[in-house]
Amino acid sequence: MRIYKFPILFFALAVSLFASCKKTDYLDINAGDRPPLSAKVKFINARQSVTAVNFWDFTRKVTATALQRNTATGYLDTQYGKVQFNLTEGTEPSYKASYVFGGSANFIQETNSASFAGPNGPIADFAHSLFTVKKKLSSTLNPGNIDSLILVYDDLTLPAAGRAKIRFANFSPDASKVDLTYAAGTEIFAGVAYGNFGNQTIIPYTSGKAPAVIEGLSWRTLGPFKEIDAGTNVSLLIKDNTTKAVIPLTNTALNAATFEAGKIYTVYINGIITGTPSITATIITHN
């Protein structure tokens, strides 16, 4: 499992085939009678460009129509296991991003003596989010590949009564580390660097190898959610983590927002502070 500044690769997850049946039940059914397995992936366009995009698993286009900037699909059925996800703009055939996710069906921690060619891929019958975002640095080998793909695993267990769950990501390439706070000042997530999620476990690499033991690492710690009180007219702010100055947004998504009890959300910022497209916040609902 690797988490770099960019490209950022996430992987995870212990396998469970169906909530309603045991794993052995699935294998006891004749192959022709088994329901098809697939991964459930929500595709999210968080890139800088305003050009709509399509997502692909290998050579199969999985988005029915091109996805506009700062919008998301529902959970779509995709290939699971070791998968190459690709991104194209509009009707253009060339890839703007292409990454292989996969190597194991289970959550397996890499060690200081071995590593996979890529992270674990999407898991059958589990929920995932795949974000496309702007790379911070251009690709030397492929200058046309200007975007990254970030795969995280969505913990859709419901929050406690009267609560909602949120996670926060910073996809603004010229923003410093930022905080997500209530307007009254209380921090929800702090010190979130570009291309990262609040409170995630970051896997360090030295000479291409991970430590033998990484404390706190699990699939839930890569794009983690936090419970908050549900409510309406909830106003949130983005602040510079060092100066605590408010970073002005050019939209109103975080002004008087509603976080419903029992709902699960991703909040992210993208755009840039010093030019166009300007920095904005987006709220994605998962259930």
Side-chain angles (χ1 to χ4, degrees):
M1 229 179 254
R2 311 175 181 197
I3 302 184
Y4 298 107
K5 287 185 177 177
F6 271 90
I8 299 176
L9 304 177
F10 294 82
F11 70 124
L13 214 50
V15 171
S16 173
L17 293 176
F18 289 101
S20 59
C21 63
K22 298 178 181 178
K23 294 178 183 179
T24 53
D25 294 338
Y26 187 82
L27 299 178
D28 289 339
I29 301 170
N30 290 331
D33 297 328
R34 294 173 191 163
L37 290 178
S38 61
K40 311 295 182 183
V41 180
K42 179 183 288 291
F43 296 91
I44 302 170
N45 180 359
R47 67 203 293 256
Q48 299 287 83
S49 172
V50 297
T51 305
V53 297
N54 282 298
F55 288 87
W56 306 67
D57 62 12
F58 296 106
T59 58
R60 182 179 73 99
K61 186 162 70 75
V62 292
T63 43
T65 58
L67 190 63
Q68 300 295 324
R69 182 173 183 263
N70 290 336
T71 63
T73 67
Y75 283 101
L76 304 180
D77 290 340
T78 73
Q79 179 67 39
Y80 65 93
K82 192 168 187 176
V83 181
Q84 178 179 310
F85 283 117
N86 305 310
L87 182 78
T88 60
E89 284 187 337
T91 59
E92 292 295 320
S94 60
Y95 294 156
K96 295 300 180 182
S98 181
Y99 291 99
V100 174
F101 298 89
S104 175
N106 300 302
F107 177 88
I108 297 177
Q109 180 173 307
E110 295 186 6
T111 71
N112 60 348
S113 61
S115 61
F116 298 114
N120 285 348
I123 307 300
D125 208 40
F126 278 85
H128 317 71
S129 288
L130 183 71
F131 297 82
T132 178
V133 304
K134 171 106 171 41
K135 283 185 176 180
K136 193 165 189 176
L137 300 175
S138 60
S139 172
T140 301
L141 295 177
N142 184 2
N145 193 329
I146 60 174
D147 296 295
S148 280
L149 300 177
I150 299 176
L151 179 69
V152 290
Y153 298 82
D154 297 345
D155 180 5
L156 300 186
T157 55
L158 296 179
R163 308 270 280 174
K165 289 191 345 185
I166 68 169
R167 68 179 169 201
F168 173 66
N170 176 4
F171 299 143
S172 177
D174 69 341
S176 59
K177 290 184 178 180
V178 299
D179 304 338
L180 177 70
T181 76
Y182 290 103
T186 304
E187 291 180 348
I188 305 173
F189 294 101
V192 183
Y194 177 60
N196 287 274
F197 291 80
N199 292 354
Q200 73 182 44
T201 296
I202 296 178
I203 303 171
Y205 279 80
T206 302
S207 300
K209 301 298 181 183
V213 176
I214 301 170
E215 293 297 326
L217 180 62
S218 78
W219 68 273
R220 288 185 174 88
T221 67
L222 295 173
F225 292 91
K226 176 182 286 188
E227 289 194 10
I228 63 170
D229 289 334
T232 58
N233 296 317
V234 178
S235 291
L236 305 177
L237 298 174
I238 306 297
K239 294 183 179 181
D240 183 285
N241 177 253
T242 301
T243 67
K244 302 306 177 183
V246 174
I247 297 175
L249 305 178
T250 56
N251 70 336
T252 60
L254 300 187
N255 298 340
T258 295
F259 295 99
E260 295 183 40
K263 293 291 187 179
I264 301 170
Y265 303 90
T266 292
V267 178
Y268 68 83
I269 59 169
N270 64 343
I272 56 178
I273 298 172
T274 57
T276 57
S278 56
I279 189 167
T280 59
T282 300
I283 302 174
I284 300 295
T285 305
H286 291 272
N287 64 338

